[in-house]
Amino acid sequence: MKNIRLQYFAILREHRGQNEESRDTTAATAGELYEELKSEFKFPLGQEQTRVAINGEFSVMDAPLNNGDEVVYIPPVAGG
């Protein structure tokens, strides 16, 4: 079990109901953790529509997670 610090933005924040949290997980990768969160909080976006940053650097969904990592899932945003 590892403890991961999470931050949520835009539509993911709306579905989660908060900006950030610490979470214990057995997920081995960022993608596995996203699927865990998506299932629990009914995130409307698939992994292919979401970017991930781990410890302040853009990464990929199959990147391994370590205890204490900070993970940010970034949905597409519209600007104007």
Side-chain angles (χ1 to χ4, degrees):
M1 183 84 55
K2 50 187 97 61
N3 186 267
I4 305 295
R5 180 118 174 100
L6 291 155
Q7 290 186 355
Y8 304 102
F9 294 100
I11 195 166
L12 302 180
R13 178 181 59 223
E14 292 170 17
H15 278 264
R16 178 60 187 99
Q18 59 191 53
N19 297 330
E20 58 187 50
E21 68 177 314
S22 289
R23 181 182 184 92
D24 290 328
T25 183
T26 58
T29 67
E32 287 180 17
L33 178 57
Y34 186 79
E35 290 303 316
E36 180 181 301
L37 297 165
K38 181 180 177 194
S39 175
E40 185 173 342
F41 302 115
K42 309 298 184 229
F43 289 167
L45 304 173
Q47 289 184 38
E48 67 283 350
Q49 299 168 290
T50 307
R51 302 237 12 223
V52 63
I54 301 173
N55 299 323
E57 300 206 9
F58 282 111
S59 191
V60 293
M61 288 292 190
D62 62 355
L65 293 177
N66 298 299
N67 189 49
D69 280 348
E70 181 175 285
V71 177
V72 181
Y73 293 106
I74 306 160
V77 293

